[in-house]
């Protein structure tokens, strides 16, 4: 398959199995010039992965991939048996029954699916090719150099041994657990390590299909002096896993299959054999310069019913693809790519821990019972937290994962699914650009203005208040009527305000500039305008006395930072927005009329901080004598996720005008 040739790709993927092909699909869907090299001409004869979680199916759906219907929609059922025809001892779940019973139907527009790896890979190849990816099968990586400004790779065509060069911006290592790329850049691995070396026999035996009628598809074989594992790919093929590292003749293979099944004369068609190293190892870093590790190159996890192997790798490349896409357009800086390791490596470690907390791998746990609390399946699939995205003041208090309905739009969590029309989910709005989910039309013009100023795409998902799903979306996303949630291109929430901030444009600008690591930051003029507006709002909050105007202490929290400071000559500083708001009524009680205006500013903006030196004009009447004064106001400002805020005000002496 070689429909497109890309001379200088942005991304060069090494490895064309499930994760590498998924990377090609996701990158190409983002418009990223992508080349993939794979040393083989097709899929391996012995498939490994078979189960794909709800989240993986969501990701595929987002790029136009619909998988064939499946009869298996969750973690496969497993039983301990003597043999298929012998005694069946017990069925034991992947997760405890109390958590395993939770259903995904209300949390996603799709369901998990079972399809053999060698049946899925051609679907991915076809989609990647259709999206414009350059797939070069039968080609292998010889060497590469990361020169700081890009990656130069030497590639060999296996058909004739000829070599050629590919220059790319980034190298994605999808070259498996023994990754030569990972070893070349010197990244080590940590974890429980090598668990065992096993052999497998892939075969067909139509007579075995009758033993699947109870819905159990995995069998732990336990006989005196003989332990094995038998499962089906649900397509007529079966695999027997043997807990040794022994080569067997075909006659020996048939004999041991018959022993495991308990059927002495079972007709068997042998297909192939395999050798497996069951290991649990996580790379110490998922990135080095312009090289990114994905899939087994980043995290080698033993086969498990939670689907933590291939599915974790597919989620890796989905996370990475939109970030490379944003940097490729020039809208985001390379700093955005640093978040790949920060977000994905903790997920890999959590899954490493969860595997050994369950009964399937209890033999590899050093203590009789694991001290790791089991997280239920739905939470692991749809409710894991990117802790580094959550606000710093709450991140440490949040759990690693929760069921989707237990989250409410917190930054760092997957944006929830809500049906908004027949066959149309909120998830269908996420993919290429940023999306603002809100219940207030007031955000639409704000988003358009911010998008135009920052040269970035921001879609707005806003249902009318009379919609039957209006409250459902607000509840799922944890927003009030004036609030909003900002969703990244990968369907994760980057920012949320429960209620409308005073400065909508400033808050949204600050949020998306940070979350997208934008290269086109708001101009100094925009910042100065926002700071002047904030200062005017402060003046309005402390003015009183005409046309029923009263002071507004409740506005102080939207004007000052929580640790804000107000300092007046001859008085002790008031520290904290709450304290400033509390002191305001008493400080102005003796003045029935007060008018403040801030004039002739000198504003200096330095990144997320600014200083303003103002001339403050004050007119007041305490009931006996009206007076006016010109004072100095030295103000420090800080950019926050909700826009600019005053960090400190220091009033300096000026000139008092005589009373008239």
């Amino acid at each position: 398959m070689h429909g497109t040739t890309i001379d200088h790709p942005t991304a060069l993927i090494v490895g064309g199995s499930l994760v590498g092909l998924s990377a090609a699909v996701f990158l190409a869907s983002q418009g990223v010039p992508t080349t993939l090299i794979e040393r083989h001409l097709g899929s391996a004869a012995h498939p490994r992965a078979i189960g794909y979680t709800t989240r993986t199916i969501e990701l595929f759906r987002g790029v136009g991939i619909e998988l064939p219907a499946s009869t298996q929609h969750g973690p496969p059922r497993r039983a301990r048996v003597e043999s298929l025809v012998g005694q069946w001892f017990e069925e034991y779940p992947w997760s405890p029954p109390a958590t395993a019973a939770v259903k995904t139907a209300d949390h996603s527009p799709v369901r998990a699916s079972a399809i053999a790896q060698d049946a899925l890979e051609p679907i991915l190849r076809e989609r990647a090719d259709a999206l414009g990816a350059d797939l070069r099968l039968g080609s292998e990586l010889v060497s590469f150099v990361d020169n700081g400004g890009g990656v130069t790779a030497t590639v060999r065509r296996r058909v004739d041994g000829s070599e050629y060069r590919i220059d790319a911006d980034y190298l994605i290592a999808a070259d498996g657990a023994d990754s030569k790329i990972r070893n070349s850049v010197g990244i080590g691995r940590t974890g429980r390590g090598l668990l065992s070396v096993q052999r497998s026999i892939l075969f067909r035996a139509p007579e075995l299909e009758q033993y699947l009628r109870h819905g159990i598809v995995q069998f732990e074989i336990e006989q005196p002096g003989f332990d094995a594992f038998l499962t089906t790919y649900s397509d007529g093929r079966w695999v027997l896993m043997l807990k040794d590292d022994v080569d067997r003749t075909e006659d020996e293979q048939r004999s041991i299959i018959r022993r495991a099944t308990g059927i002495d004369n079972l007709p068997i068609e042998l297909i192939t054999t395999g050798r497996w190293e069951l290991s649990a190892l996580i790379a110490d870093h998922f990135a080095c310069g312009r090289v990114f590790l994905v899939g087994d190159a980043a995290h080698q996890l033993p086969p498990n019913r939670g689907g933590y192997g291939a599915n974790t790798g597919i989620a890796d490349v989905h996370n990475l693809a939109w970030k490379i896409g944003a940097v490729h357009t020039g809208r985001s800086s390379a700093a955005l790519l640093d978040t790949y390791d920060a977000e994905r490596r903790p997920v890999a470690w959590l899954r490493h821990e969860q595997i050994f907390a369950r009964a399937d791998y209890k033999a590899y746990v050093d203590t009789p019972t694991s001290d790791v609390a089991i997280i239920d399946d739905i939470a692991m699939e749809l409710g894991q937290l990117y802790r580094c995205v959550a606000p710093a003041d709450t991140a440490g208090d949040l759990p690693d994962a929760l069921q989707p309905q237990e989250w409410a739009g917190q930054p760092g969590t997957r944006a929830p699914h809500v049906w908004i029309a027949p066959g149309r989910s909120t998830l269908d709005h996420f993919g290429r650009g940023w999306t603002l989910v809100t219940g207030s039309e007031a955000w639409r013009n704000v988003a358009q203005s911010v998008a135009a100023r920052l040269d970035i795409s921001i879609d707005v998902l806003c249902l009318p208040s009379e919609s039957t799903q209006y409250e459902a979306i607000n509840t799922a996303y944890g927003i009030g009527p004036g609030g909003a949630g900002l969703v990244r291109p990968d369907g994760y929430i980057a920012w949320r305000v429960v209620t409308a901030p005073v400065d909508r444009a400033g808050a949204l600008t600050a949020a998306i500039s940070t979350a997208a690591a934008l290269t086109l930051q708001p101009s100094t003029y925009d910042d100065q305008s926002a700071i002047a507006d904030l200062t005017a709002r402060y003046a309005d909050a402390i003015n009183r006395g005409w046309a029923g105007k009263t002071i507004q202490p409740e506005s102080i929290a939207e004007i000052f930072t929580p640790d804000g400071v107000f300092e007046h000559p001859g008085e002790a500083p008031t520290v904290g927005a709450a304290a400033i708001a509390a002191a305001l009524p008493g400080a102005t009680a003796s003045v029935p009329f007060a008018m403040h205006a801030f004039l002739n500013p000198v504003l200096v903006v330095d990144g997320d901080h600014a200083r303003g030196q103002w001339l403050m004009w004050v007119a007041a009447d305490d009931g006996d004598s009206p007076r006016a004064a010109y004072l100095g106001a030295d103000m420090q400002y800080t950019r926050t996720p909700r826009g600019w805020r005053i960090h400190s005000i220091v009033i300096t002496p000026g000139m008092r005008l005589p009373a008239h």
Side-chain angles (χ1 to χ4, degrees):
M1 181 175 291
H2 194 68
T4 302
T5 300
I6 299 175
D7 294 329
H8 187 130
T10 296
L12 172 61
I13 304 166
V14 178
S17 292
L18 277 179
V19 173
L21 287 169
S22 296
V25 170
F26 296 141
L27 284 162
S29 73
Q30 294 286 336
V32 176
T34 301
T35 296
L36 177 148
I37 60 173
E38 163 56 44
R39 65 191 310 270
H40 298 105
L41 295 175
S43 298
H46 195 326
R48 298 195 174 205
I50 182 173
Y52 304 96
T53 63
T54 299
R55 182 57 179 162
T56 293
I57 304 304
E58 287 179 353
L59 303 185
F60 285 160
R61 182 175 186 256
V63 290
I65 295 175
E66 298 286 344
L67 296 186
S70 170
T71 57
Q72 183 178 309
H73 299 293
R77 293 172 60 190
R78 178 179 295 189
R80 290 176 51 247
V81 301
E82 179 186 25
S83 66
L84 294 189
V85 299
Q87 183 179 358
W88 288 37
F89 303 121
E90 64 171 344
E91 177 182 356
Y92 61 95
W94 166 248
S95 295
T99 59
V102 180
K103 297 181 179 180
T104 60
D106 295 333
H107 304 314
S108 178
V110 299
R111 300 177 70 183
S113 182
I115 176 175
Q117 179 173 343
D118 57 350
L120 175 57
E121 287 180 354
I123 297 173
L124 295 174
R125 286 191 204 100
E126 181 178 0
R127 186 59 180 150
D129 186 63
L131 289 169
D134 180 0
L135 306 181
R136 304 186 185 186
L137 306 184
S139 296
E140 62 185 355
L141 180 70
V142 176
S143 63
F144 72 93
V145 176
D146 180 349
N147 56 35
V151 176
T152 298
T154 300
V155 178
R156 178 186 297 123
R157 298 182 183 91
R158 298 189 72 199
V159 66
D160 59 11
S162 61
E163 296 183 357
Y164 62 97
R165 168 176 152 174
I166 297 178
D167 292 309
D169 294 337
Y170 302 101
L171 179 64
I172 298 176
D175 55 342
D178 296 326
S179 173
K180 293 181 179 179
I181 296 174
R182 183 191 64 236
N183 294 334
S184 294
V185 297
I187 295 178
R189 295 190 293 172
T190 309
R192 289 188 177 269
L194 178 65
L195 306 177
S196 67
V197 178
Q198 300 190 4
R199 295 295 183 115
S200 64
I201 306 170
L202 185 68
F203 65 97
R204 288 188 179 89
E207 288 187 18
L208 299 185
E209 300 300 309
Q210 61 183 304
Y211 297 100
L212 301 175
R213 64 184 181 275
H214 300 297
I216 294 174
V217 295
Q218 296 185 351
F219 303 89
E220 289 276 4
I221 310 297
E222 296 183 6
Q223 300 174 15
F226 177 65
D227 292 326
F229 176 74
L230 178 68
T231 189
T232 176
Y233 283 99
S234 299
D235 61 3
R237 292 179 296 176
W238 292 72
V239 63
L240 180 66
M241 301 291 300
L242 301 164
K243 300 178 181 180
D244 58 29
D245 188 14
V246 177
D247 276 322
R248 291 177 172 84
T249 65
E250 290 192 354
D251 286 343
E252 290 172 332
Q253 292 173 36
R254 289 188 175 89
S255 176
I256 205 164
I257 291 171
R258 288 169 179 146
R259 179 176 180 180
T261 60
I263 305 173
D264 292 337
N265 58 351
L266 177 69
I268 299 168
E269 176 193 347
L270 297 175
I271 301 174
T272 190
T273 60
R275 185 177 185 272
W276 308 63
E277 289 188 357
L278 270 64
S279 296
L281 290 164
I282 310 298
D284 297 334
H285 307 282
F286 281 12
C288 178
R290 290 178 171 266
V291 176
F292 297 91
L293 309 183
V294 299
D296 284 355
H299 41 74
Q300 184 180 6
L301 298 171
N304 60 88
R305 287 189 276 167
Y308 297 163
N311 291 284
T312 306
I314 291 167
D316 288 343
V317 293
H318 189 262
N319 178 284
L320 182 60
W322 78 267
K323 296 172 181 177
I324 290 179
V327 175
H328 166 69
T329 64
R331 293 186 178 92
S332 294
S333 73
L336 181 63
L337 300 176
D338 295 338
T339 64
Y340 169 66
D341 175 86
E343 291 177 3
R344 293 304 302 169
R345 192 152 51 92
V347 170
W349 270 113
L350 180 62
R351 296 187 172 196
H352 176 282
E353 293 172 353
Q354 286 295 305
I355 286 173
F356 295 100
R358 288 165 160 80
D360 290 21
Y361 281 89
K362 63 183 178 182
Y364 300 99
V365 178
D366 298 331
T367 55
T369 58
S370 172
D371 59 357
V372 175
I374 292 178
I375 300 173
D376 69 73
D377 302 326
I378 306 304
M380 288 296 293
E381 286 186 32
L382 303 177
Q384 289 192 228
L385 173 73
Y386 287 158
R387 194 173 300 279
C388 61
V389 179
D393 58 344
T394 62
D397 299 328
L398 297 175
D400 293 323
L402 287 173
Q403 292 179 20
Q405 77 278 5
E406 296 177 296
W407 292 119
Q410 288 89 340
T413 64
R414 162 186 166 273
H417 152 71
V418 178
W419 289 117
I420 55 179
R424 183 166 156 240
S425 165
T426 49
L427 305 191
D428 296 328
H429 285 261
F430 314 139
R432 287 295 296 270
W434 295 75
T435 303
L436 194 69
V437 179
T438 180
S440 170
E441 281 291 338
W443 281 99
R444 193 175 297 278
N445 289 338
V446 171
Q448 291 174 350
S449 173
V450 170
R453 189 163 70 249
L454 298 179
D455 188 27
I456 193 170
S457 171
I458 306 177
D459 186 24
V460 176
L461 174 57
C462 179
L463 295 187
S465 57
E466 62 270 18
S467 168
T468 57
Q469 293 299 86
Y470 177 80
E471 289 298 333
I473 285 187
N474 285 0
T475 299
Y477 284 78
I479 54 178
L486 181 64
V487 182
R488 308 187 321 186
D490 64 345
Y492 268 74
I493 296 172
W495 169 81
R496 180 190 63 169
V497 284
V498 177
T499 58
V502 174
D503 180 10
R504 282 186 171 93
L508 180 58
T509 297
I512 201 166
S513 296
T514 300
L518 294 183
T519 54
L520 180 60
Q521 295 293 329
S523 68
T524 299
Y525 174 79
D526 291 332
D527 285 330
Q528 290 175 338
S529 296
I531 289 168
D533 179 69
L534 173 69
T535 308
R537 294 204 311 272
Y538 170 65
D540 184 63
I542 60 178
N543 287 340
R544 66 185 300 173
W546 69 94
K549 177 69 174 67
T550 61
I551 60 171
Q552 300 168 324
E554 68 278 2
S555 298
I556 295 298
E558 289 289 336
I559 294 172
F560 281 81
T561 60
D563 60 348
V565 177
F566 178 86
E567 188 171 345
H568 195 279
E571 299 178 6
T574 304
V575 180
I580 295 170
L584 186 57
T588 60
S590 63
V591 185
F593 176 93
M595 175 70 180
H596 301 74
F598 291 86
L599 310 171
N600 301 334
V602 177
L603 295 176
V604 178
V605 178
D606 183 11
D608 291 337
H609 302 279
R611 181 182 182 186
Q613 293 177 294
W614 299 82
L615 176 63
M616 184 172 71
W617 176 76
V618 182
D621 185 350
D622 60 6
D624 295 326
S625 59
R627 61 184 185 275
Y630 286 102
L631 304 172
D634 191 342
M635 305 174 73
Q636 302 286 339
Y637 303 86
T638 298
R639 192 196 310 270
T640 76
R642 295 176 67 88
W644 284 100
R645 295 291 183 267
I646 297 173
H647 181 261
S648 67
I649 299 178
V650 178
I651 304 299
T652 57
M655 179 178 67
R656 183 183 296 271
L657 300 181
H660 296 287

